[in-house]
């Protein structure tokens, strides 16, 4: 593998993002208000992952291999989706195995220092999930799995307002208006 240019990293991120967007499993069973922030998180993770892999000289060399790395991120997202959408249909053993797979996929993507769920966090999630909404659970899961060295959030998907609040214009002295 060779040193990567910013253009190589951007191209890799786009390929990974395409893999996420084209995977129905990532959002299957989620309502739009649950799926949109989740997919936006995944798109941001794809950019961050491409940069992380390039910095570690682990970014794949060809488009197919890069798409495979994106597929691993889509698999992680699918398991998170399954935790919230199947939580009432599956037993605690299945949910625990799914959390273990989430941990494994996180480590495969980000290395041994990857964010993962401890046994105590899994037990607490299992004990408290039924009182919470899918959106709340998904938001908490992705917050926990967002690596601390993450890039800034992805811009919203086309047609979606920004999640960041807009700064109000500062107050003006009497007699002045904005734009003058």
């Amino acid at each position: 593998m060779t040193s990567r240019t910013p253009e190589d990293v951007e191209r890799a991120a786009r390929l990974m993002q395409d893999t996420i967007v084209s995977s129905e499993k990532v959002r299957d069973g989620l309502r739009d208000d649950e799926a949109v922030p989740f997919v936006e998180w995944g798109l941001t993770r794809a950019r961050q992952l491409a940069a992380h892999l390039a910095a570690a000289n682990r970014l794949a060399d060809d488009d197919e291999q890069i798409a495979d790395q994106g597929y691993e991120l889509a698999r992680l997202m699918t398991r998170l989706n399954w935790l919230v959408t199947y939580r009432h249909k599956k037993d605690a053993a299945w949910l625990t195995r799914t959390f273990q797979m989430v941990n494994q996929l996180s480590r495969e993507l980000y290395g041994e220092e990857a964010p993962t769920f401890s046994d105590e966090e899994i037990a607490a999630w299992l004990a408290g999930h039924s009182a919470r909404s899918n959106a709340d659970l998904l938001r908490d899961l992705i917050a926990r799995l967002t690596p601390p060295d993450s890039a800034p959030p992805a811009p919203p998907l086309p047609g979606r307002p920004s999640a960041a609040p807009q700064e109000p214009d500062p107050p003006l002295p009497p007699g002045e208006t904005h734009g003058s």
Side-chain angles (χ1 to χ4, degrees), residues 41 45 48-49 52-53 58 73 76 99-118 121 141-150:
W41 175 82
R45 297 288 63 74
Q48 188 269 339
L49 180 60
H52 174 80
L53 292 171
R58 292 182 27 225
L73 180 55
L76 172 69
F99 266 109
Q100 292 166 346
M101 178 56 75
V102 165
N103 286 345
Q104 177 183 331
L105 290 166
S106 185
R107 283 188 203 99
E108 287 174 11
L109 288 167
Y110 296 105
E112 286 304 312
E113 298 302 315
T116 57
F117 294 94
S118 68
E121 289 170 318
L141 291 171
I142 64 178
R144 178 68 179 91
L145 286 182
T146 301
D149 63 339
S150 294

Side-chain angles (χ1 to χ4, degrees), residues 131-169:
R132 304 195 56 218
S133 71
N134 284 356
D136 288 341
L137 290 170
L138 202 50
R139 187 174 33 257
D140 290 350
L141 291 171
I142 64 178
R144 178 68 179 91
L145 286 182
T146 301
D149 63 339
S150 294
L157 294 174
R160 298 290 302 180
S162 172
Q166 297 295 322
E167 288 291 322
D169 290 330

Side-chain angles (χ1 to χ4, degrees), residues 4-18 50 59-64 66-67:
R4 302 299 182 165
T5 66
E7 292 80 17
D8 293 335
V9 174
E10 181 60 32
R11 183 181 58 78
R14 280 193 311 272
L15 287 168
M16 290 179 190
Q17 290 170 333
D18 290 346
L59 187 61
D61 289 322
D62 67 43
D63 288 358
E64 187 174 328
I66 292 169

Side-chain angles (χ1 to χ4, degrees), residues 80-100:
L80 294 174
N81 176 0
W82 288 355
L83 285 170
V84 299
T85 58
Y86 293 130
R87 64 194 168 108
H88 296 297
K89 297 174 184 166
K90 300 291 185 173
D91 63 11
W94 184 90
L95 292 166
T96 300
R97 284 191 309 274
T98 303
F99 266 109
Q100 292 166 346

